[in-house]
Amino acid sequence: MAHILHWITRASSGYPLMSTLVPLISQAEIADTVARLAQTLDQDYAGKSPVVVGVLKGAFIFLSDLIRQMQTPIQRVELIRLSSYGAATNSSGNVKVLMDLPPDLVAGQDVILVEDIVDTGRSTSVALANLAACGPASLKLCSLLDKPSRRQVAITIDYLGLTIPDRFIVGYGLDRNEQYRQLPGIFVMEA
Ligand code: 5GP
Ligand code: MG
């Protein structure tokens, strides 16, 4: 397992801030998890050509790794953006759709929604409801991570990578104030 990481960011004033990041999921464990999910999707979508919809920004790295591990011919990759956080580490519960996709790209298609993490479930439920309203032939959810301890809305995760404890994590696409997305592993932020 990787070591604790000391990561220096800068406050808007330019003042350096050091945070301590404790490894939770290694790069190798993420790669194994992504490969397993891709294999399961390939089995389940044999003979089909799904539309894969990623949720920005958090899922962009997972999405790009996942689709490159899949053998299934993907018909198209679409991106939607939802925001519920702002700068806080707690979901405000106020989900905003910042980008939407035309309903005709989803109607009659086999759609896979790709999320980074399901936490309260609020943003995922909004995304699923929006997609369902477009009349897909099928709609499934693939999430790299599940943080079930804080769930407020029941969500069925059809394809789940890993379950994590109730900690605020960063890395592999997940941010804190837009930073840390570039880290190849997943870390718990110590205050
Ligand atoms: P929800 O609470 O609606 O299920 O999750 C909304 C979004 O909050 C997730 O898609 C993810 O981008 C973000 N989120 C939830 N838990 C964490 C976390 O531990 N760390 C980070 N960086 N983002 C999180
Ligand atoms: Mg997200």
Side-chain angles (χ1 to χ4, degrees):
M1 181 44 102
H3 295 99
I4 284 176
L5 201 69
H6 297 291
W7 189 262
I8 312 240
T9 59
R10 285 189 189 274
S12 44
S13 62
Y15 198 81
L17 299 168
M18 193 180 77
S19 55
T20 302
L21 305 176
V22 180
L24 183 67
I25 308 169
S26 70
Q27 214 175 329
E29 196 181 348
I30 294 171
D32 287 350
T33 303
V34 172
R36 167 175 58 80
L37 288 170
Q39 204 174 20
T40 308
L41 288 167
D42 282 340
Q43 285 161 12
D44 289 5
Y45 286 85
K48 294 181 175 168
S49 186
V51 172
V52 176
V53 179
V55 182
L56 294 174
K57 297 179 189 172
F60 81 109
I61 291 180
F62 172 47
L63 175 73
S64 64
D65 282 349
L66 181 71
I67 62 175
R68 286 178 296 170
Q69 292 294 317
M70 287 172 67
Q71 313 275 310
T72 307
I74 294 167
Q75 192 180 133
R76 63 192 308 141
V77 177
E78 290 293 330
L79 299 165
I80 60 172
R81 186 164 168 201
L82 304 168
S83 171
S84 68
Y85 259 47
T89 57
N90 277 310
S91 174
S92 64
N94 180 15
V95 179
K96 293 189 192 92
V97 180
L98 301 176
M99 189 202 297
D100 217 338
L101 76 170
D104 57 299
L105 297 183
V106 169
Q109 304 296 332
D110 294 305
V111 177
I112 306 169
L113 181 68
V114 176
E115 273 277 22
D116 50 358
I117 183 169
V118 181
D119 182 16
T120 66
R122 285 177 177 276
S123 51
T124 308
S125 70
V126 170
L128 285 170
N130 278 20
L131 291 170
C134 302
S138 67
L139 175 58
K140 299 286 181 186
L141 171 64
C142 175
S143 182
L144 177 65
L145 302 170
D146 183 16
K147 204 197 278 185
S149 46
R150 293 174 11 105
R151 194 76 92 253
Q152 292 173 12
V153 181
I155 298 283
T156 301
I157 305 176
D158 304 289
Y159 302 94
L160 172 65
L162 300 164
T163 299
I164 63 162
D166 185 9
R167 305 299 300 274
F168 189 79
I169 54 156
V170 295
Y172 198 69
L174 289 141
D175 74 307
R176 170 83 195 270
N177 289 345
E178 296 302 325
Q179 297 181 341
Y180 309 100
R181 294 192 199 274
Q182 74 200 79
L183 299 175
I186 292 174
F187 297 80
V188 173
M189 278 204 72
E190 298 281 286

